Amino acid sequence: MKRQFLSIVATAVAGLAFSALPVQAQTKAPEKVTLMLNWYLYSEHAPFFLGKERGFFSEEGIDLEIQEGRGSAVTAQAVAAKSATFGYIDVTTMIKAAAKGAPLKSTGVLFQVSPMSVMGFTDKNIRTPKDIIGKTVATTPGDSMSQMWPLFLKMNNIQPDQVKIVSGDGQTKLNAVMNGQADLLLGYVMDQAIKLQDATGKSVTPIKFADSGVNQISSGIIANKSFIAENPDLVKRFMRAATRAAEAAEKSPEAAVDAMLKANPKAGVRDTLIVGMKQSIALYHTKETANQRPFRVSMKNVNDSLDLLVQYGGMEPATRGKPEDYVTLEFLPSN
C-alpha cells in the first residue's frame, strides 16, 4: 500500500514538473514546408520573406523554406510530384496542367488583375493603346502574353498589320527595346518593366491589358490535391500566414523588399524592387474583391479566365470544367 502511494506521488510530481516546462518544450516541432516560387527572386516574392521574418509562419507551426523557381510549369511539376509542398506560380499555367490530369489545385489567387502589359520607355510618349499603331513590338511566340495579344488589339480596334512584330526570348525582347530595335515589348508590369528600368535607369510606362478588358488571374498558391486532402489543417495554417504576409506587404512594401534583400542581398536593386512591389500590390484585388483579404479571388474572375484560356490560350473546351475544379477558397481566413 505504502509502495503504491509513493508511486502515485512520484507520478504526480513528474506531471507537475512537466507542466512547469516552457510551453515551447511541450509543443511539437514546426512542420517543414517548402514554397517553390515561379522564378528567380523579384518584387512580387517579397511578402513571403516578410511573413517569415515577422514570424507569421512560425506562429502557425511552420518552418518555411522559400525556393527559387525556373518557370511556372517547372514549379507545377514539382508540386504535382510532391517534391515541393506549395508552389507560387501563374494559376492559369496550373489550370492548363490540371485540365490535362495534373493533380493540382490553387488554394488562393494573389494576382487577380493580370500583370500582362505592352511597355516602353516613357520618353517615347506611348501611353495609350492607340499610340501603339505604327510601332514595333518585341514578343516571345507561344507565351501567355503573345496568346492574349490579338485579343488586346481587337479590344482596341487595332488591326494586326498596324503593328510590326519582332520575336525573341525574354532577354532578346529586353535587348530589342534597349538598343532601339523595338519601341515596346510584351511583359509583366512588375517584372520586365523593372528589368528595363534597372538596366537603363530610364522610366518605363506599361499599358496594362486588363485596362482594356483583357484580364486573367495570375500568380497564386498551388498544392497537390492529395496533399490538400490529407493535410487540411496545415494548408489552412499556411494560407493564414500567407494572407497576413500579403497584408503586411500592402501596408509596408519597403519592409517586404528589405526582408527579401536581407535573406538574399542579390535579389535586386532596392529602389526598383520597391517600385515593383507597389505595382504588384495594385494587382491584388479587383473591384469585386476590394474589401476582401488577399488571395480571396472572385469565382467570376476565375470563370472569365477559363473562357479566355479556351478562346485564346489553347485549352480544349471539353476539359474546361468549372472554376471550383481549379480554385478553392475554403482554406482562406474569412476575417
Side-chain angles (χ1 to χ4, degrees):
M1 187 73 176
K2 183 177 180 181
R3 190 179 296 112
Q4 185 179 11
F5 173 78
L6 290 173
S7 176
I8 292 170
V9 170
T11 301
V13 170
L16 287 170
F18 178 79
S19 65
L21 289 172
V23 174
Q24 283 184 323
Q26 298 180 36
T27 57
K28 63 180 182 179
E31 295 178 76
K32 289 190 176 296
V33 166
T34 56
L35 171 65
M36 183 178 284
L37 305 173
N38 52 348
W39 197 241
Y40 300 100
L41 295 182
Y42 58 96
S43 301
E44 69 168 299
H45 305 137
F48 300 110
F49 290 91
L50 183 61
K52 185 173 181 178
E53 180 181 83
R54 293 193 174 177
F56 298 158
F57 291 96
S58 59
E59 287 171 14
E60 297 290 352
I62 293 171
D63 179 9
L64 179 65
E65 178 189 353
I66 303 171
Q67 299 178 348
E68 289 185 312
R70 298 295 181 269
S72 289
V74 174
T75 298
Q77 290 169 1
V79 175
K82 295 186 179 179
S83 56
T85 322
F86 295 96
Y88 175 76
I89 69 169
D90 173 56
V91 177
T92 59
T93 298
M94 182 224 75
I95 288 173
K96 290 165 77 170
K100 294 178 180 178
L104 298 169
K105 198 162 194 175
S106 173
T107 53
V109 179
L110 188 56
F111 279 17
Q112 299 169 17
V113 177
S114 173
M116 295 181 186
S117 305
V118 55
M119 62 186 70
F121 294 124
T122 302
D123 60 15
K124 284 187 173 286
N125 203 33
I126 304 171
R127 303 179 185 278
T128 70
K130 288 298 183 185
D131 295 332
I132 297 167
I133 295 174
K135 302 298 190 294
T136 299
V137 180
T139 72
T140 298
D143 72 0
S144 58
M145 287 172 286
S146 64
Q147 289 171 1
M148 293 298 136
W149 175 242
L151 178 59
F152 172 81
L153 295 178
K154 182 179 178 181
M155 295 292 282
N156 289 287
N157 297 311
I158 300 173
Q159 298 301 315
D161 61 5
Q162 291 181 293
V163 180
K164 183 180 178 182
I165 298 295
V166 295
S167 300
D169 61 17
Q171 188 58 50
T172 301
K173 288 193 302 185
L174 292 169
N175 292 340
V177 171
M178 287 189 285
N179 64 27
Q181 288 180 317
D183 303 293
L184 305 148
L185 62 79
L186 300 188
Y188 281 1
V189 66
M190 72 301 166
D191 186 2
Q192 283 81 10
I194 301 305
K195 289 176 180 174
L196 276 178
Q197 188 169 320
D198 269 352
T200 65
K202 297 171 67 174
S203 177
V204 174
T205 297
I207 302 169
K208 295 179 186 174
F209 285 20
D211 291 341
S212 296
V214 183
N215 188 45
Q216 277 187 309
I217 57 173
S218 186
S219 301
I221 301 294
I222 69 162
N224 185 291
K225 285 183 179 180
S226 65
F227 178 86
I228 293 172
E230 294 162 8
N231 302 274
D233 182 62
L234 175 57
V235 176
K236 194 169 285 188
R237 286 184 281 124
F238 180 86
M239 293 310 303
R240 188 159 53 222
T243 298
R244 291 178 66 194
E247 288 173 329
E250 284 182 299
K251 292 177 182 176
S252 182
E254 296 85 359
V257 167
D258 287 342
M260 182 168 70
L261 286 172
K262 184 178 178 181
N264 190 329
K266 296 182 180 180
V269 179
R270 183 177 187 271
D271 289 346
T272 47
L273 284 173
I274 290 171
V275 172
M277 187 66 246
K278 290 178 178 178
Q279 290 174 337
S280 296
I281 291 167
L283 307 175
Y284 283 6
H285 303 282
T286 61
K287 290 179 181 178
E288 291 79 13
T289 62
N291 298 317
Q292 300 282 341
R293 299 183 74 179
F295 291 104
R296 188 168 285 276
V297 67
S298 159
M299 283 299 177
K300 179 183 181 302
N301 195 351
V302 180
N303 193 65
D304 291 345
S305 297
L306 287 173
D307 286 342
L308 286 175
L309 284 174
V310 170
Q311 293 176 52
Y312 299 94
M315 187 178 189
E316 292 295 330
T319 66
R320 180 191 186 280
K322 307 182 299 296
E324 294 78 10
D325 295 332
Y326 305 105
V327 178
T328 177
L329 306 181
E330 67 177 294
F331 300 99
L332 295 172
S334 56
N335 51 47

